[in-house]
Amino acid sequence: MSLKPSPLNALFLAQFISAFVDNMILFIALGIIHRDGYPGYYLPLVQSTFLLSYIVLSPWVGRFADKKAKSQVLMAGNVIKTLGILLLLAKCDPALSYGVVGIGAVIYSPAKYGILPFLARGEDALLRANSSLESYTIVAILTGSVAGGYLSDISIPLSLIACIVLYVISIGVNALIPKDPGNRGIQYRNAITEFANDAIALFRDKQSHFSLLGTGSFWMASAVLRMIIFAWVPLTLGISSRMDISMIIAVTGIGIAIGAVITPYLITVKEYQRTAWYGLGMGLCILAFLWVTTLPIAIIFLLLIGCMGGIFIVPMNACLQHVGHQTIGAGKTIAIQNFVENGFMFLGVLAYTFALKLGISIHTSLATAGIVLLAFVAYLIVLTYKKTDTD
């Protein structure tokens, strides 16, 4: 009996390891910030440099992913992430080092999603593959966060060495994924103009317009909420251990994983508009968090936020990949999705960074995050009814 995993399982395993390490790094960076006496707003700034990599490189990475075999692109992304870890190990500025990790991540992302239509044929198989990939990713986020908090409490250099070893393992697993043919005719010369034209084409399509705004607003709210929780837990619950904070934040990941797993039983790709109602539930749960003052209630609401969010995002990912695969190409579609999502996250985290510098309260920032998400969801619901009226 062969121990070699199937192509999809190899992708899931490689993605799990890679995402596990990606989320260890943020908590290790938090440890470095505390150790070296950086100001309180520096963690959101570090997160911003990571997100900025996605925004700057998006016009080129989608073409790179579609031009080359995507398994090779996955390996290249992890190699660059490893270089970012080496910079942290050499005590370079954490914002710069995490930005290099972001460059690796932005190269990696279009390939991991873009290869799914090649490995999973048909809408239903694609939705199931998306659900599985999202579940592996979320489990990696929560376990990686806990591991990063735990190891950085013990030894920051040891935790960085562990990251390097795991990235090397992920590179080895990437080699087990079959090579798709790619498109050697793709050029980089007019990347920015073509990227803009491709983005306009996706926004003109009703399905991809809905999905891009939906996933963008979800990740913006999630990124800001994550930064807020870092400050909210010590302030409200009196908990300061990085490991304990990471475990509390991981609860949201558990909720998203649950939501991603049950999504195929609740919504099909053709019913993607129904996800807006789960986005509404997520936004209301974020606002309800304003009245939370105890750990058990906080855990319940973080679990609900995650579960609603998981159901909100998975069908939109599958819908966008399906549209993109049939129109501009899977890799270019994911690059545009990354640009939109990380643009939203960058603006949200940047606004939160300025709010911290201006002394605006955590609760005001939390309320703003919930209201902004609800505003986007309301727009999506209006789009749904407009589509229904014209059909």
Side-chain angles (χ1 to χ4, degrees), residues 25-211:
I25 301 168
L26 187 60
F27 286 89
I28 296 167
L30 177 63
I32 293 170
I33 288 167
H34 287 167
R35 182 193 68 188
D36 298 343
Y38 287 93
Y41 63 83
Y42 212 76
L43 182 64
L45 181 64
V46 168
Q47 180 74 7
S48 295
T49 62
F50 181 91
L51 300 173
L52 191 60
S53 301
Y54 277 87
I55 297 169
V56 172
L57 296 178
S58 288
W60 292 276
V61 293
R63 280 161 175 72
F64 182 63
D66 283 339
K67 186 180 179 75
K68 306 288 185 183
K70 291 178 178 60
S71 57
Q72 294 177 338
V73 176
L74 294 172
M75 287 188 273
N78 276 336
V79 168
I80 295 172
K81 290 179 189 179
T82 305
L83 292 177
I85 302 296
L86 290 171
L87 288 175
L88 284 173
L89 201 54
K91 297 190 175 179
C92 293
D93 184 278
L96 171 66
S97 304
Y98 202 45
V100 173
V101 175
I103 293 172
V106 71
I107 290 171
Y108 189 95
S109 184
K112 80 180 178 190
Y113 285 113
I115 200 171
L116 283 179
F118 175 71
L119 300 178
R121 305 300 172 90
E123 287 185 9
D124 291 338
L126 184 59
L127 180 61
R128 287 194 300 271
N130 261 283
S131 176
S132 297
L133 188 66
E134 207 67 41
S135 299
Y136 277 97
T137 301
I138 298 307
V139 172
I141 288 171
L142 65 94
T143 53
S145 298
V146 172
Y150 176 73
L151 288 176
S152 63
D153 276 343
I154 296 173
S155 169
I156 289 173
L158 175 65
S159 61
L160 291 171
I161 291 169
C163 289
I164 293 170
V165 171
L166 288 170
Y167 273 143
V168 170
I169 293 172
S170 183
I171 291 168
V173 178
N174 289 147
L176 301 175
I177 300 171
K179 293 181 181 179
D180 61 299
N183 183 354
R184 302 290 178 181
I186 291 174
Q187 302 294 321
Y188 301 109
R189 200 172 43 248
N190 300 315
I192 295 176
T193 303
E194 291 177 11
F195 181 84
N197 291 335
D198 289 338
I200 291 168
L202 285 179
F203 272 105
R204 282 178 175 166
D205 180 272
K206 290 180 180 178
Q207 294 182 45
S208 50
H209 179 96
F210 185 100
S211 299

Side-chain angles (χ1 to χ4, degrees), residues 277-291 301 305 370-371 373-374:
W277 298 106
Y278 294 94
L280 178 66
M282 179 183 174
L284 292 174
C285 286
I286 291 175
L287 287 180
F289 212 82
L290 290 166
W291 290 274
F301 272 95
I305 289 168
I371 291 168
L373 175 61
L374 287 175

Side-chain angles (χ1 to χ4, degrees), residues 234-300:
L235 181 69
T236 306
L237 303 180
I239 297 171
S240 57
S241 164
R242 285 192 296 276
M243 181 181 174
D244 291 342
I245 293 172
S246 69
M247 291 180 72
I248 292 168
I249 291 174
V251 171
T252 308
I254 295 172
I256 296 176
I258 293 170
V261 168
I262 65 176
T263 294
Y265 302 99
L266 299 175
I267 299 174
T268 67
V269 173
K270 290 184 175 67
E271 299 171 325
Y272 68 92
Q273 305 100 320
R274 290 175 53 201
T275 61
W277 298 106
Y278 294 94
L280 178 66
M282 179 183 174
L284 292 174
C285 286
I286 291 175
L287 287 180
F289 212 82
L290 290 166
W291 290 274
V292 173
T293 55
T294 63
L295 181 58
I297 301 299
I299 289 172
I300 290 170

